[in-house]
Amino acid sequence: MLDFAVFGSLFLTLFVIMDPPGITPIFLALTSGRPAKVQRRMAWQAVCVAFGVIAIFGICGQQILDYLHVSVPALMIAGGLLLLLIALDLLTGKNDEPKQTKDVNVALVPLGMPLLAGPGAIVSVILAVQKADGVTGQFSVWAAIVAMHIVLWIVMRYSLVIIRVIKDGGVVLVTRLAGMMLSAIAVQQIINGVVQVVHTS
């Protein structure tokens, strides 16, 4: 019932885009000064917001594309370029980390969106749903989406423990490796989009 190739491909793509190890210090910065119970609730809220946004685009992605008259190859190329920009940010260590504010529920914005449910993740999910064949393919895609959000919740839920284990250096290392993998995925996505354009022209 589960296509492990489809599941693994999307899960890996979402992992390097959403970057659970890299989100840990950002989550801690946004929720610092709050009780542990509040931090746990904000972790759950952020994951729910991210999942809701991605689910909407996963379900209505085709309708959105049809309304905007955008082809899948064009979306693949644009998505690949977008992923490449994200990968360069990960590789160079660029970090526009928002500061904590006690007057706004940061679990909703900016943590849930756009830090977690950002353009890269949305594009990847739309394309994965488009390419999934049959019930098995669709089930595998949604299983990967759910599994990724479970991972995100676990990482943020136990972020205080995780940061003590892997330290800041570990977060930086994993983030750089994720950037390298994401850049390769981005280039391949651009190539696939160009090939489809050539074949349909």
Side-chain angles (χ1 to χ4, degrees):
M1 191 66 182
L2 185 66
D3 188 330
F4 287 98
V6 174
F7 176 89
S9 176
L10 180 57
F11 182 85
L12 180 61
T13 301
L14 291 178
F15 187 90
V16 297
I17 293 173
M18 293 180 159
D19 189 21
I23 205 67
T24 299
I26 299 177
F27 174 76
L28 292 175
L30 288 171
T31 61
S32 62
R34 292 176 169 88
K37 183 178 180 180
V38 175
Q39 286 183 315
R40 291 193 293 268
R41 185 174 70 246
M42 295 180 75
W44 173 251
Q45 290 175 338
V47 170
C48 288
V49 169
F51 180 79
V53 171
I54 287 180
I56 289 173
F57 277 93
I59 295 171
C60 305
Q62 183 61 61
Q63 289 79 0
I64 295 173
L65 292 179
D66 291 342
Y67 179 78
L68 298 176
H69 304 290
V70 176
S71 66
V72 173
L75 187 63
M76 291 178 67
I77 296 173
L81 292 173
L82 181 61
L83 296 183
L84 191 58
L85 291 176
I86 297 173
L88 292 175
D89 285 347
L90 293 176
L91 287 170
T92 58
K94 180 181 178 182
N95 186 14
D96 298 324
E97 184 174 303
K99 301 300 181 183
Q100 174 207 4
T101 172
K102 294 185 179 297
D103 299 327
V104 178
N105 188 351
V106 295
L108 307 181
V109 178
L111 191 55
M113 182 180 181
L115 287 178
L116 293 181
I122 291 173
V123 168
S124 297
V125 167
I126 290 177
L127 293 177
V129 171
Q130 290 285 321
K131 294 189 294 184
D133 296 325
V135 176
T136 300
Q138 291 293 333
F139 177 79
S140 301
V141 166
W142 288 102
I145 295 172
V146 171
M148 185 66 250
H149 284 80
I150 291 175
V151 170
L152 285 168
W153 177 77
I154 292 174
V155 168
M156 290 188 293
R157 169 68 171 75
Y158 298 100
S159 58
L160 294 174
V161 177
I162 292 174
I163 204 71
R164 284 198 294 265
V165 172
I166 66 175
K167 308 295 184 183
D168 291 341
V171 173
V172 172
L173 176 61
V174 174
T175 301
R176 297 297 181 272
L177 292 175
M180 291 179 61
M181 297 173 65
L182 183 57
S183 62
I185 293 173
V187 172
Q188 186 62 55
Q189 188 163 299
I190 294 172
I191 293 173
N192 293 342
V194 172
V195 168
Q196 288 194 24
V197 170
V198 172
H199 285 170
T200 56
S201 61

